Amino acid sequence: MDTITVNGPEGILDWDAIDWRTHEQNVVRLRRRIFKATREQDWATVRSLQKMMLRSWSNTLVSVRQVTQRNTGRRTAGIDGEVALTSQARAEAAVHVHRTRASWDPLPVRRVHIPKANGKLRPLGIPVIMDRCHQARVRQALEPEWEARFEPRSYGFRPGRSCADAIETLFATLRGPRANRVWILDADLSAAFDNIDHERLLDALGGFPARDLIARWLKAGVVEGEMFTPTDEGSPQGGVISPLLMNVALHGLEEAAGVRYRMTGVTAGRAREGTPVLVRYADDLVVCCYSEQEAYRVKQRLAEWLEPRGLVFNEDKTKVVHAGEGFDFLGFSVRRYSNGKLLIKPSRDAVKRIRKRLTDETRRMRGSSVRELTSRLNPIIRG
């Protein structure tokens, strides 16, 4: 095949004939090298490898494939109305992305609103397909650096981590009669994606080679209907790179809460005695403390840390409770009984939501075959 060279395609790119395994291995290998260099704090090597990733033809192909072929939002267009749903369109997009990798000028995002669990609307910003491809390409270079730096109990929007891992950490912290971090700060950040301070975030990125491109994404603005609104703060939900930027902005939250870890011995990685345990999933977090007073002190420290970053607690959803009273986190109800038994089960609201969704889907599929119905319901049931 004459379409793959070191610097990109030559001639016509045959999308269906691409050796995806080779390109994915190239990207994985380079991500591992960035991760390893970051752990060794060899910053010159980190920046050099990140530049290599940003120039990589393999990275471009893998990123375009992820955005246009694998992501569930591949059929959703930005303000230009363009999508890439055929092999030819994807091949053309990959060539265009690679040729504009050093000169791309971001376009504004398209504002749409989707319903939240509480009945309110969540604003999403849908970038054009080219911006999504470039964001995926940049994320491949930025993510391994920060995966080597992120705090241990951050679970949201990270590769190889899930809600179940966050719940497992809570289980290990609260179970048994000897558990003593039983006062809970159950906190939620108010419109976190919309209020991130741009300057603080860009300072955190340091000398990342695509930092200027990220700054232009942050400032690209929003189009709702026919009205353009500039963006002076926040990172719009819906962008490929936005969840990673959220985690970068919130890096340091554990340290601000006073969490300290054992560094040596068989207990390395465990929180030290006398310090709280903070579990975070995106902008939802729980801090397990020794006393009610400590929980309120932690809340105050976190509020002071969040303020210069443009973030505040949602006071309606933030509270201090004893584990015996129970609390909800990530769709689960967590409660510790007086005998030390810990019960974690789906929350009432989560059960209501899944039942309503199944009911709505079943009604909508009336007249369909059993096979079609089960193919729609099984992914919902699996969650």
Side-chain angles (χ1 to χ4, degrees), residues 146-198:
W146 282 91
E147 279 299 310
R149 299 171 63 179
F150 281 145
E151 293 161 318
R153 293 188 171 93
S154 161
Y155 296 99
F157 306 119
R158 293 183 59 186
R161 294 181 171 227
S162 66
C163 292
D165 297 314
I167 295 298
E168 183 180 358
T169 297
L170 279 180
F171 177 78
T173 302
L174 297 173
R175 69 175 178 177
R178 295 185 179 180
N180 44 23
R181 296 181 178 94
V182 294
W183 280 95
I184 310 299
L185 170 61
D186 180 12
D188 180 82
L189 301 184
S190 180
F193 277 95
D194 299 328
N195 295 319
I196 294 173
D197 183 81
H198 288 174

Side-chain angles (χ1 to χ4, degrees), residues 213-230:
L213 180 56
I214 291 176
R216 295 201 299 275
W217 275 321
L218 294 173
K219 302 290 186 182
V222 174
V223 172
E224 185 168 1
E226 296 183 355
M227 181 176 293
F228 171 80
T229 305

Side-chain angles (χ1 to χ4, degrees), residues 4 29 43 69 71 79-80 89 95 144 164 169 222 259 277 288 307 311 340 344-345 360 368 380-381:
I4 305 302
R29 191 180 304 115
W43 297 110
Q69 195 167 339
N71 284 1
I79 61 171
D80 59 359
V95 173
T169 297
V222 174
V259 180
V277 168
C288 303
E307 184 179 3
L311 303 172
I344 300 178
K345 63 181 182 180
D360 292 343
S368 303
I380 300 173
I381 295 170

Side-chain angles (χ1 to χ4, degrees), residues 309-337:
R309 291 159 177 83
L311 303 172
V312 295
F313 286 126
N314 183 340
E315 294 297 340
D316 292 337
K317 295 183 178 180
T318 300
K319 57 186 178 180
V320 172
V321 298
H322 192 274
E325 300 176 45
F327 60 96
D328 290 348
F329 185 58
L330 303 179
F332 289 89
S333 174
V334 182
R335 187 174 180 183
R336 185 177 186 273
Y337 292 88

Side-chain angles (χ1 to χ4, degrees), residues 13-21 24 60-76 82-94 129 132-133 136 139 240:
L13 175 63
D14 185 351
W15 185 262
D16 297 318
I18 293 173
D19 182 0
W20 290 110
R21 187 171 187 177
E24 287 173 353
T60 298
L61 284 176
V62 170
S63 298
V64 172
R65 188 189 191 201
Q66 183 67 43
V67 169
T68 64
Q69 195 167 339
R70 292 181 168 178
N71 284 1
T72 55
R74 61 187 178 275
R75 299 180 184 275
T76 305
E82 294 184 4
V83 292
L85 301 178
T86 66
S87 296
Q88 181 179 350
R90 289 164 182 155
E92 291 172 355
I129 195 73
R132 276 178 272 170
C133 293
R139 185 183 64 182
V240 174

Side-chain angles (χ1 to χ4, degrees), residues 41-60:
Q41 298 189 4
D42 184 355
W43 297 110
T45 300
V46 170
R47 300 309 177 207
S48 176
L49 291 171
Q50 286 174 330
K51 290 177 183 177
M52 190 182 302
M53 179 72 89
L54 292 169
R55 294 193 301 265
S56 166
W57 173 233
S58 291
N59 181 26
T60 298

